[in-house]
Amino acid sequence: MINAAITGVASYVPEKVLTNFDLEKIVDTNDEWIVSRTGIRERHIAAEGEASSDMSVKAIERLLEKTGVKAKEIDAIIVATVTPDMLFPSTAALIQEKIGASKAWGYDLSGACSGFLFALKSGSALVQTGHKKVIVVGVDTMSSILDYTDRNTCILFGDGAGAVLLEPTEDDRYGIIDNLLFVDGSGADALHMKAGGSRKPATHATVDAREHYLFQDGRSVFKRASLDMAKVSVDILNKNNFKAEDVAIFIPHQANKRIIDVAARRAGFTDEQVLINIDKYGNTTAGTLPLGLDEVVQENRIKDGDLVLLAAFGAGYTWGSTLLRYGPTRKA
Ligand code: ACO
């Protein structure tokens, strides 16, 4: 049976770093509150004019360099993002042109913090039905939709991009094993952007009312995220007859260190098994999981064939988990 394997990963974060101490000068907050409530110390912020396609192109260029794959070999580009450069054309189209992926088609997918898992599932389906090289990107320029007068939200997020190469394999030592993916639209009230879509097109009034920024009811989202990210992490292991100790690395979505701790504890992981980088990046929404995967590969925390568990929770609500065996790494 043909399965999709992740044969390479790369990422990019913008140069500019915004620390908690920088935020203390902008809103009524402090480093101690942010660290103790969220685990975040700093986040990277896009430069003026730097958009999601720009960050994605940087990540993909690194991916192509590492793997030795040429842009014109790519069959499809799927981009998970809630901060596309424009509502249309898709960020995938802009990336296709910038990197010269002459035969690729592609599209954007909106799954918020779970977007990368949804895009991985879509990319796997393309690989299983004949595509040879699919690039799956998770990217968000959260700074473009944050209200830097709102301390409840502006401290939480950062910008970043990650990309993986999916290729077919018939070797059962590698590839995506299973996904558990969910949406529950009753969560829409708790986490959304009010204006700028067809419901409420941009007007002077929507701008004056600051409705083009992310809105979040943090407490409601926190409760659901803690429950569901833990449950979906445990469920996928049970369903596939794996124990916590079989997993080389657990890469949870990085929205809040306390949510991560709940999931890690319920699933029975040791600290060494859990990737935590929220301190450096904050919540980069769809960028988070591929950024985390790139970090564990770069730090040699996993090798080809190792079992990796990804899990996420985000706006929608959306949530899910993916279990895979990493590699085989394609080297240039
Ligand atoms: N600095 C200082 N005080 C603050 C700050 C701040 N930056 N932000 C809020 N506070 C205050 C609040 O005003 C509140 O004060 P009050 O009690 O006088 O009203 C107090 O701190 C406590 O507020 P809570 O909301 O109870 O704080 P909590 O411990 O819940 O932490 C947080 C808030 C970090 C937002 C948390 O609720 C959270 O992480 N929520 C989930 C986030 C998440 O998972 N999002 C999903 C992914 S995002 C996506 O999909 C795009």
Side-chain angles (χ1 to χ4, degrees), residues 28-30 33 37-38 112-113 142 151-152 155-157 191 214 216 218-219 221-222 225 253 255-256 258-259 283 285 313-315:
D28 179 15
T29 190
N30 57 78
W33 191 96
R37 297 297 183 105
T38 71
C113 299
M142 296 307 289
R151 68 176 183 176
N152 291 295
I155 58 135
L156 297 170
F157 296 90
L191 185 46
L214 176 146
Q216 176 170 249
R219 279 176 212 183
V221 179
F222 185 89
H253 180 60
N256 189 315
R258 292 182 290 149
I259 298 173
N283 181 353
T285 305
F313 185 93

mmCIF file of all heavy atoms in Angstrom, residues 28-30 33 37-38 112-113 142 151-152 155-157 191 214 216 218-219 221-222 225 253 255-256 258-259 283 285 313-315, ligand 1:
data_model
loop_
_atom_site.group_PDB
_atom_site.id
_atom_site.type_symbol
_atom_site.label_atom_id
_atom_site.label_comp_id
_atom_site.label_asym_id
_atom_site.label_seq_id
_atom_site.Cartn_x
_atom_site.Cartn_y
_atom_site.Cartn_z
ATOM 1 N N ASP A 28 -0.261 46.987 29.613
ATOM 2 C CA ASP A 28 -0.136 46.803 31.064
ATOM 3 C C ASP A 28 0.043 45.316 31.376
ATOM 4 O O ASP A 28 -0.913 44.597 31.668
ATOM 5 C CB ASP A 28 -1.405 47.359 31.734
ATOM 6 C CG ASP A 28 -1.359 47.193 33.246
ATOM 7 O OD1 ASP A 28 -0.263 46.932 33.782
ATOM 8 O OD2 ASP A 28 -2.425 47.319 33.878
ATOM 9 N N THR A 29 1.284 44.847 31.272
ATOM 10 C CA THR A 29 1.585 43.448 31.549
ATOM 11 C C THR A 29 2.989 43.370 32.132
ATOM 12 O O THR A 29 3.659 44.388 32.293
ATOM 13 C CB THR A 29 1.471 42.598 30.258
ATOM 14 O OG1 THR A 29 1.535 41.211 30.603
ATOM 15 C CG2 THR A 29 2.572 42.902 29.253
ATOM 16 N N ASN A 30 3.410 42.157 32.475
ATOM 17 C CA ASN A 30 4.784 42.008 32.949
ATOM 18 C C ASN A 30 5.287 40.603 32.654
ATOM 19 O O ASN A 30 4.498 39.670 32.482
ATOM 20 C CB ASN A 30 4.885 42.329 34.449
ATOM 21 C CG ASN A 30 3.959 41.452 35.258
ATOM 22 O OD1 ASN A 30 4.271 40.296 35.500
ATOM 23 N ND2 ASN A 30 2.809 41.990 35.648
ATOM 24 N N TRP A 33 3.999 37.647 34.825
ATOM 25 C CA TRP A 33 2.627 37.180 34.506
ATOM 26 C C TRP A 33 2.662 36.315 33.252
ATOM 27 O O TRP A 33 2.096 35.214 33.233
ATOM 28 C CB TRP A 33 1.675 38.368 34.297
ATOM 29 C CG TRP A 33 0.221 37.948 34.242
ATOM 30 C CD1 TRP A 33 -0.663 37.963 35.283
ATOM 31 C CD2 TRP A 33 -0.500 37.420 33.111
ATOM 32 N NE1 TRP A 33 -1.892 37.472 34.871
ATOM 33 C CE2 TRP A 33 -1.820 37.130 33.545
ATOM 34 C CE3 TRP A 33 -0.168 37.147 31.785
ATOM 35 C CZ2 TRP A 33 -2.807 36.607 32.702
ATOM 36 C CZ3 TRP A 33 -1.146 36.618 30.940
ATOM 37 C CH2 TRP A 33 -2.444 36.352 31.402
ATOM 38 N N ARG A 37 1.781 32.354 33.391
ATOM 39 C CA ARG A 37 0.476 31.945 32.847
ATOM 40 C C ARG A 37 0.564 31.234 31.509
ATOM 41 O O ARG A 37 -0.365 30.536 31.110
ATOM 42 C CB ARG A 37 -0.441 33.164 32.667
ATOM 43 C CG ARG A 37 -0.811 33.894 33.916
ATOM 44 C CD ARG A 37 -1.618 33.016 34.860
ATOM 45 N NE ARG A 37 -2.018 33.771 36.032
ATOM 46 C CZ ARG A 37 -3.249 34.219 36.240
ATOM 47 N NH1 ARG A 37 -4.200 33.991 35.373
ATOM 48 N NH2 ARG A 37 -3.521 34.907 37.325
ATOM 49 N N THR A 38 1.666 31.467 30.754
ATOM 50 C CA THR A 38 1.719 30.918 29.379
ATOM 51 C C THR A 38 3.005 30.153 29.049
ATOM 52 O O THR A 38 2.993 29.318 28.154
ATOM 53 C CB THR A 38 1.608 32.044 28.321
ATOM 54 O OG1 THR A 38 2.828 32.803 28.320
ATOM 55 C CG2 THR A 38 0.433 32.966 28.591
ATOM 56 N N ALA A 112 -6.765 27.050 11.440
ATOM 57 C CA ALA A 112 -6.164 27.727 12.600
ATOM 58 C C ALA A 112 -4.984 26.895 13.143
ATOM 59 O O ALA A 112 -4.155 26.437 12.371
ATOM 60 C CB ALA A 112 -7.215 28.030 13.648
ATOM 61 N N CYS A 113 -4.959 26.681 14.455
ATOM 62 C CA CYS A 113 -3.791 26.007 15.048
ATOM 63 C C CYS A 113 -3.714 24.536 14.648
ATOM 64 O O CYS A 113 -2.656 23.921 14.754
ATOM 65 C CB CYS A 113 -3.824 26.135 16.561
ATOM 66 S SG CYS A 113 -3.761 27.860 17.058
ATOM 67 N N MET A 142 0.840 36.208 12.627
ATOM 68 C CA MET A 142 -0.171 36.592 13.621
ATOM 69 C C MET A 142 -0.085 38.078 13.966
ATOM 70 O O MET A 142 -1.097 38.703 14.300
ATOM 71 C CB MET A 142 -0.033 35.735 14.883
ATOM 72 C CG MET A 142 -0.295 34.250 14.656
ATOM 73 S SD MET A 142 -1.872 33.915 13.863
ATOM 74 C CE MET A 142 -3.015 34.318 15.189
ATOM 75 N N ARG A 151 -3.941 43.430 25.994
ATOM 76 C CA ARG A 151 -2.968 42.568 26.672
ATOM 77 C C ARG A 151 -3.415 41.109 26.748
ATOM 78 O O ARG A 151 -2.616 40.210 26.965
ATOM 79 C CB ARG A 151 -2.677 43.076 28.075
ATOM 80 C CG ARG A 151 -3.849 42.942 29.035
ATOM 81 C CD ARG A 151 -3.480 43.372 30.431
ATOM 82 N NE ARG A 151 -4.599 43.172 31.338
ATOM 83 C CZ ARG A 151 -4.551 43.395 32.638
ATOM 84 N NH1 ARG A 151 -3.429 43.868 33.170
ATOM 85 N NH2 ARG A 151 -5.583 43.174 33.394
ATOM 86 N N ASN A 152 -4.737 40.886 26.607
ATOM 87 C CA ASN A 152 -5.245 39.513 26.670
ATOM 88 C C ASN A 152 -4.764 38.658 25.496
ATOM 89 O O ASN A 152 -4.698 37.435 25.606
ATOM 90 C CB ASN A 152 -6.783 39.501 26.666
ATOM 91 C CG ASN A 152 -7.335 40.069 27.950
ATOM 92 O OD1 ASN A 152 -7.150 39.503 29.006
ATOM 93 N ND2 ASN A 152 -7.989 41.218 27.849
ATOM 94 N N ILE A 155 0.093 39.297 23.726
ATOM 95 C CA ILE A 155 1.268 38.651 24.326
ATOM 96 C C ILE A 155 1.423 37.193 23.882
ATOM 97 O O ILE A 155 2.467 36.589 24.088
ATOM 98 C CB ILE A 155 1.165 38.676 25.865
ATOM 99 C CG1 ILE A 155 -0.136 37.964 26.303
ATOM 100 C CG2 ILE A 155 1.167 40.098 26.402
ATOM 101 C CD1 ILE A 155 0.056 37.041 27.431
ATOM 102 N N LEU A 156 0.355 36.633 23.302
ATOM 103 C CA LEU A 156 0.310 35.178 23.110
ATOM 104 C C LEU A 156 0.961 34.680 21.825
ATOM 105 O O LEU A 156 1.410 33.532 21.759
ATOM 106 C CB LEU A 156 -1.149 34.691 23.113
ATOM 107 C CG LEU A 156 -1.944 34.893 24.400
ATOM 108 C CD1 LEU A 156 -3.422 34.578 24.158
ATOM 109 C CD2 LEU A 156 -1.393 34.005 25.507
ATOM 110 N N PHE A 157 0.977 35.536 20.792
ATOM 111 C CA PHE A 157 1.280 35.012 19.457
ATOM 112 C C PHE A 157 2.574 35.555 18.866
ATOM 113 O O PHE A 157 3.033 36.635 19.222
ATOM 114 C CB PHE A 157 0.124 35.346 18.501
ATOM 115 C CG PHE A 157 -1.182 34.687 18.883
ATOM 116 C CD1 PHE A 157 -2.073 35.343 19.729
ATOM 117 C CD2 PHE A 157 -1.508 33.429 18.419
ATOM 118 C CE1 PHE A 157 -3.277 34.744 20.087
ATOM 119 C CE2 PHE A 157 -2.701 32.813 18.773
ATOM 120 C CZ PHE A 157 -3.591 33.475 19.606
ATOM 121 N N LEU A 191 -13.345 32.341 19.595
ATOM 122 C CA LEU A 191 -12.051 32.641 18.959
ATOM 123 C C LEU A 191 -12.276 32.933 17.479
ATOM 124 O O LEU A 191 -12.616 32.026 16.711
ATOM 125 C CB LEU A 191 -11.123 31.419 19.157
ATOM 126 C CG LEU A 191 -9.671 31.491 18.709
ATOM 127 C CD1 LEU A 191 -8.996 32.775 19.147
ATOM 128 C CD2 LEU A 191 -8.895 30.292 19.244
ATOM 129 N N LEU A 214 -7.688 39.612 16.046
ATOM 130 C CA LEU A 214 -8.085 38.357 16.684
ATOM 131 C C LEU A 214 -8.825 38.654 17.990
ATOM 132 O O LEU A 214 -8.362 39.449 18.801
ATOM 133 C CB LEU A 214 -6.826 37.534 16.946
ATOM 134 C CG LEU A 214 -6.966 36.205 17.698
ATOM 135 C CD1 LEU A 214 -5.940 35.211 17.164
ATOM 136 C CD2 LEU A 214 -6.780 36.390 19.203
ATOM 137 N N GLN A 216 -10.381 36.644 21.378
ATOM 138 C CA GLN A 216 -10.396 35.355 22.069
ATOM 139 C C GLN A 216 -10.979 35.476 23.477
ATOM 140 O O GLN A 216 -10.590 36.356 24.237
ATOM 141 C CB GLN A 216 -8.968 34.790 22.175
ATOM 142 C CG GLN A 216 -8.918 33.487 22.977
ATOM 143 C CD GLN A 216 -7.578 32.758 22.920
ATOM 144 O OE1 GLN A 216 -7.477 31.705 22.327
ATOM 145 N NE2 GLN A 216 -6.568 33.342 23.530
ATOM 146 N N GLY A 218 -10.291 33.754 26.328
ATOM 147 C CA GLY A 218 -9.180 32.872 26.721
ATOM 148 C C GLY A 218 -9.578 31.730 27.637
ATOM 149 O O GLY A 218 -9.147 30.598 27.449
ATOM 150 N N ARG A 219 -10.452 32.036 28.628
ATOM 151 C CA ARG A 219 -10.801 30.991 29.602
ATOM 152 C C ARG A 219 -11.564 29.846 28.966
ATOM 153 O O ARG A 219 -11.297 28.680 29.248
ATOM 154 C CB ARG A 219 -11.618 31.578 30.746
ATOM 155 C CG ARG A 219 -10.735 32.249 31.766
ATOM 156 C CD ARG A 219 -11.523 32.914 32.866
ATOM 157 N NE ARG A 219 -10.775 34.088 33.297
ATOM 158 C CZ ARG A 219 -11.128 34.886 34.275
ATOM 159 N NH1 ARG A 219 -12.225 34.662 34.953
ATOM 160 N NH2 ARG A 219 -10.385 35.924 34.597
ATOM 161 N N VAL A 221 -11.532 28.916 25.793
ATOM 162 C CA VAL A 221 -10.647 28.168 24.893
ATOM 163 C C VAL A 221 -9.684 27.307 25.715
ATOM 164 O O VAL A 221 -9.431 26.144 25.375
ATOM 165 C CB VAL A 221 -9.859 29.128 23.969
ATOM 166 C CG1 VAL A 221 -8.933 28.339 23.052
ATOM 167 C CG2 VAL A 221 -10.794 29.986 23.150
ATOM 168 N N PHE A 222 -9.198 27.863 26.801
ATOM 169 C CA PHE A 222 -8.245 27.130 27.662
ATOM 170 C C PHE A 222 -8.851 25.806 28.143
ATOM 171 O O PHE A 222 -8.217 24.754 28.080
ATOM 172 C CB PHE A 222 -7.860 28.006 28.859
ATOM 173 C CG PHE A 222 -6.797 27.400 29.733
ATOM 174 C CD1 PHE A 222 -5.454 27.634 29.476
ATOM 175 C CD2 PHE A 222 -7.135 26.591 30.801
ATOM 176 C CE1 PHE A 222 -4.478 27.065 30.273
ATOM 177 C CE2 PHE A 222 -6.155 26.017 31.602
ATOM 178 C CZ PHE A 222 -4.831 26.256 31.337
ATOM 179 N N ALA A 225 -9.287 23.390 25.157
ATOM 180 C CA ALA A 225 -7.982 22.973 24.620
ATOM 181 C C ALA A 225 -7.329 21.955 25.549
ATOM 182 O O ALA A 225 -6.778 20.941 25.097
ATOM 183 C CB ALA A 225 -7.075 24.196 24.441
ATOM 184 N N HIS A 253 0.808 21.372 19.978
ATOM 185 C CA HIS A 253 0.656 22.782 19.627
ATOM 186 C C HIS A 253 1.085 23.645 20.817
ATOM 187 O O HIS A 253 0.830 23.305 21.968
ATOM 188 C CB HIS A 253 -0.797 23.072 19.249
ATOM 189 C CG HIS A 253 -0.984 24.496 18.884
ATOM 190 N ND1 HIS A 253 -0.301 25.073 17.845
ATOM 191 C CD2 HIS A 253 -1.730 25.482 19.441
ATOM 192 C CE1 HIS A 253 -0.636 26.338 17.774
ATOM 193 N NE2 HIS A 253 -1.496 26.619 18.732
ATOM 194 N N ALA A 255 0.338 26.690 22.486
ATOM 195 C CA ALA A 255 -0.518 27.853 22.775
ATOM 196 C C ALA A 255 -0.327 28.305 24.211
ATOM 197 O O ALA A 255 -0.400 29.488 24.512
ATOM 198 C CB ALA A 255 -1.984 27.523 22.538
ATOM 199 N N ASN A 256 -0.086 27.335 25.091
ATOM 200 C CA ASN A 256 0.085 27.646 26.504
ATOM 201 C C ASN A 256 0.784 26.455 27.158
ATOM 202 O O ASN A 256 0.338 25.322 27.007
ATOM 203 C CB ASN A 256 -1.297 27.882 27.147
ATOM 204 C CG ASN A 256 -1.174 28.420 28.554
ATOM 205 O OD1 ASN A 256 -0.375 27.919 29.348
ATOM 206 N ND2 ASN A 256 -1.943 29.438 28.859
ATOM 207 N N ARG A 258 0.769 25.426 30.050
ATOM 208 C CA ARG A 258 -0.102 24.674 30.981
ATOM 209 C C ARG A 258 -1.000 23.686 30.229
ATOM 210 O O ARG A 258 -1.285 22.603 30.734
ATOM 211 C CB ARG A 258 -0.946 25.649 31.819
ATOM 212 C CG ARG A 258 -0.086 26.468 32.795
ATOM 213 C CD ARG A 258 -0.961 27.387 33.628
ATOM 214 N NE ARG A 258 -1.528 28.466 32.845
ATOM 215 C CZ ARG A 258 -2.708 29.042 33.066
ATOM 216 N NH1 ARG A 258 -3.476 28.628 34.042
ATOM 217 N NH2 ARG A 258 -3.132 30.035 32.316
ATOM 218 N N ILE A 259 -1.430 24.053 29.009
ATOM 219 C CA ILE A 259 -2.236 23.124 28.194
ATOM 220 C C ILE A 259 -1.354 21.944 27.755
ATOM 221 O O ILE A 259 -1.780 20.789 27.771
ATOM 222 C CB ILE A 259 -2.820 23.856 26.956
ATOM 223 C CG1 ILE A 259 -3.764 24.980 27.382
ATOM 224 C CG2 ILE A 259 -3.541 22.870 26.035
ATOM 225 C CD1 ILE A 259 -4.248 25.871 26.237
ATOM 226 N N ASN A 283 2.767 31.424 20.300
ATOM 227 C CA ASN A 283 1.866 30.610 19.479
ATOM 228 C C ASN A 283 1.939 31.118 18.036
ATOM 229 O O ASN A 283 1.478 32.220 17.750
ATOM 230 C CB ASN A 283 0.447 30.739 20.049
ATOM 231 C CG ASN A 283 -0.572 29.918 19.289
ATOM 232 O OD1 ASN A 283 -0.264 29.326 18.244
ATOM 233 N ND2 ASN A 283 -1.783 29.874 19.799
ATOM 234 N N THR A 285 0.429 29.658 15.562
ATOM 235 C CA THR A 285 -0.774 29.096 14.916
ATOM 236 C C THR A 285 -0.370 27.949 13.973
ATOM 237 O O THR A 285 0.190 26.971 14.440
ATOM 238 C CB THR A 285 -1.606 30.241 14.290
ATOM 239 O OG1 THR A 285 -1.855 31.190 15.352
ATOM 240 C CG2 THR A 285 -2.952 29.790 13.765
ATOM 241 N N PHE A 313 -4.829 22.076 18.970
ATOM 242 C CA PHE A 313 -6.187 22.576 19.240
ATOM 243 C C PHE A 313 -6.229 24.045 18.843
ATOM 244 O O PHE A 313 -5.294 24.786 19.133
ATOM 245 C CB PHE A 313 -6.533 22.446 20.732
ATOM 246 C CG PHE A 313 -7.960 22.839 21.016
ATOM 247 C CD1 PHE A 313 -8.950 21.874 21.032
ATOM 248 C CD2 PHE A 313 -8.311 24.169 21.211
ATOM 249 C CE1 PHE A 313 -10.284 22.234 21.255
ATOM 250 C CE2 PHE A 313 -9.641 24.532 21.426
ATOM 251 C CZ PHE A 313 -10.632 23.555 21.449
ATOM 252 N N GLY A 314 -7.307 24.469 18.181
ATOM 253 C CA GLY A 314 -7.375 25.874 17.801
ATOM 254 C C GLY A 314 -8.760 26.353 17.437
ATOM 255 O O GLY A 314 -9.759 25.676 17.721
ATOM 256 N N ALA A 315 -8.782 27.519 16.786
ATOM 257 C CA ALA A 315 -10.048 28.183 16.454
ATOM 258 C C ALA A 315 -10.914 27.292 15.594
ATOM 259 O O ALA A 315 -10.438 26.529 14.763
ATOM 260 C CB ALA A 315 -9.766 29.496 15.741
HETATM 261 N N1 ACO B 1 -0.808 40.680 31.696
HETATM 262 C C1 ACO B 1 -1.294 40.823 32.934
HETATM 263 N N2 ACO B 1 -2.550 40.471 33.262
HETATM 264 C C2 ACO B 1 -3.319 39.936 32.298
HETATM 265 C C3 ACO B 1 -2.853 39.754 30.991
HETATM 266 C C4 ACO B 1 -1.540 40.167 30.692
HETATM 267 N N3 ACO B 1 -1.008 40.018 29.472
HETATM 268 N N4 ACO B 1 -3.826 39.189 30.269
HETATM 269 C C5 ACO B 1 -4.867 39.021 31.077
HETATM 270 N N5 ACO B 1 -4.579 39.475 32.307
HETATM 271 C C6 ACO B 1 -5.433 39.488 33.491
HETATM 272 C C7 ACO B 1 -6.890 39.404 33.117
HETATM 273 O O1 ACO B 1 -7.379 40.693 32.836
HETATM 274 C C8 ACO B 1 -7.504 38.819 34.379
HETATM 275 O O2 ACO B 1 -7.706 39.826 35.302
HETATM 276 P P1 ACO B 1 -9.110 39.900 36.115
HETATM 277 O O3 ACO B 1 -9.179 38.606 36.897
HETATM 278 O O4 ACO B 1 -8.942 41.120 36.935
HETATM 279 O O5 ACO B 1 -10.168 39.971 35.058
HETATM 280 C C9 ACO B 1 -6.394 37.919 34.922
HETATM 281 O O6 ACO B 1 -5.186 38.333 34.274
HETATM 282 C C10 ACO B 1 -6.628 36.439 34.673
HETATM 283 O O7 ACO B 1 -7.135 36.261 33.365
HETATM 284 P P2 ACO B 1 -7.486 34.828 32.816
HETATM 285 O O8 ACO B 1 -8.096 34.965 31.472
HETATM 286 O O9 ACO B 1 -8.209 34.027 33.842
HETATM 287 O O10 ACO B 1 -6.023 34.209 32.690
HETATM 288 P P3 ACO B 1 -5.676 32.738 32.323
HETATM 289 O O11 ACO B 1 -4.906 32.163 33.427
HETATM 290 O O12 ACO B 1 -6.868 31.992 31.791
HETATM 291 O O13 ACO B 1 -4.694 32.950 31.089
HETATM 292 C C11 ACO B 1 -4.693 32.842 28.693
HETATM 293 C C12 ACO B 1 -5.155 33.619 29.928
HETATM 294 C C13 ACO B 1 -3.196 32.767 28.713
HETATM 295 C C14 ACO B 1 -5.176 33.582 27.437
HETATM 296 C C15 ACO B 1 -5.297 31.428 28.744
HETATM 297 O O14 ACO B 1 -6.669 31.521 28.978
HETATM 298 C C16 ACO B 1 -5.076 30.610 27.480
HETATM 299 O O15 ACO B 1 -3.968 30.173 27.210
HETATM 300 N N6 ACO B 1 -6.145 30.304 26.711
HETATM 301 C C17 ACO B 1 -6.082 29.355 25.587
HETATM 302 C C18 ACO B 1 -5.314 29.846 24.393
HETATM 303 C C19 ACO B 1 -5.407 28.819 23.272
HETATM 304 O O16 ACO B 1 -5.199 27.634 23.462
HETATM 305 N N7 ACO B 1 -5.817 29.244 22.083
HETATM 306 C C20 ACO B 1 -6.077 28.290 21.021
HETATM 307 C C21 ACO B 1 -5.150 28.392 19.928
HETATM 308 S S1 ACO B 1 -5.133 29.973 19.165
HETATM 309 C C22 ACO B 1 -5.747 29.824 17.535
HETATM 310 O O17 ACO B 1 -6.310 28.851 17.129
HETATM 311 C C23 ACO B 1 -5.604 31.044 16.611
#
